[in-house]
């Protein structure tokens, strides 16, 4: 895959090492949402940078079954019916476990994901009433920051 210009909204100090899983958006507006909603006191920044994934699991076109297969191989327990639920998500994040994509917060998922040869996920994230396309990855070295912006300046 080619290098992609992406945007990461964060409350982390500029230059800090990002803590996985790392979500980046393809547009600054989505990153601005993360910078305001997820940062302490809404005072985050948008890190602009280059992202160069090598092998992406594409949940936009297909891949949900493979994603769940990786979770199963990692030993993560979940139910799909009558609705999705994974209690381990709550143990590792602030989320309630009702969105399968949030299994990226469970450390053993990341371990198995890397064993399968992947370095990133392309998916639609759920943000309120919108579902912007994002990339999710675990290795901070895949993202090279080239600029920092204030939310609202995008």
């Amino acid at each position: 895959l080619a290098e992609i210009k992406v945007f990461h909204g964060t409350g982390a100090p500029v230059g800090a090492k990002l803590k996985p899983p790392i979500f980046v958006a393809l547009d600054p507006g989505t990153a601005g949402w993360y910078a305001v909603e997820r940062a302490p006191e809404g005072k985050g920044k948008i890190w602009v940078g280059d992202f160069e994934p090598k092998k992406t699991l594409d949940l936009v076109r297909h891949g949900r079954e493979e994603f769940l297969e990786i979770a199963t191989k990692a030993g993560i327990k979940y139910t799909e019916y009558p609705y999705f639920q994974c209690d381990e998500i709550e143990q590792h994040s602030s989320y309630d476990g009702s969105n399968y994509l949030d299994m990226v917060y469970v450390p053993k998922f990341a371990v198995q994901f890397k064993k399968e040869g992947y370095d990133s996920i392309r998916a639609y994230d759920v943000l309120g009433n919108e579902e912007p396309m994002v990339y999710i990855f675990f290795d901070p070295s895949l993202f090279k920051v080239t600029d920092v912006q204030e939310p609202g300046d995008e």
Side-chain angles (χ1 to χ4, degrees):
L1 295 174
E3 194 172 77
I4 304 164
K5 182 176 182 175
V6 295
F7 305 85
H8 176 70
T10 182
V14 174
K17 183 176 178 184
L18 296 175
K19 181 182 170 195
I22 302 161
F23 286 64
V24 293
L26 299 176
D27 67 282
T30 298
W33 183 93
Y34 281 107
V36 172
E37 296 296 322
R38 298 289 188 246
E41 300 176 13
K43 297 186 181 192
K45 304 277 189 219
I46 299 171
W47 295 9
V48 182
D50 298 319
F51 174 61
E52 193 167 0
K54 306 287 184 272
K55 186 175 179 191
T56 299
L57 177 59
D58 191 348
L59 301 181
V60 170
R61 295 193 176 144
H62 54 77
R64 184 176 192 271
E65 287 76 24
E66 189 169 354
F67 182 96
L68 294 174
E69 193 175 297
I70 292 168
T72 299
K73 285 182 183 177
I76 298 172
K77 305 286 187 237
Y78 61 89
T79 58
E80 287 196 81
Y81 303 103
Y83 54 88
F84 184 86
Q85 185 60 42
C86 176
D87 294 336
E88 287 185 70
I89 292 169
E90 287 184 280
Q91 297 167 20
H92 299 283
S93 75
S94 61
Y95 301 109
D96 66 5
S98 64
N99 179 352
Y100 81 95
L101 189 57
D102 290 333
M103 285 194 279
V104 298
Y105 290 99
V106 180
K108 58 188 172 182
F109 179 87
V111 171
Q112 187 64 41
F113 187 73
K114 291 174 192 172
K115 281 183 187 175
E116 299 291 325
Y118 290 106
D119 64 2
S120 57
I121 298 165
R122 185 172 85 137
Y124 290 112
D125 197 10
V126 178
L127 304 179
N129 294 327
E130 297 183 26
E131 292 188 11
M133 189 182 306
V134 297
Y135 280 87
I136 306 163
F137 55 99
F138 303 96
D139 179 0
S141 72
L142 294 176
F143 179 53
K144 308 287 188 237
V145 178
T146 59
D147 192 18
V148 177
Q149 297 176 354
E150 293 289 332
D153 289 348
E154 64 271 3

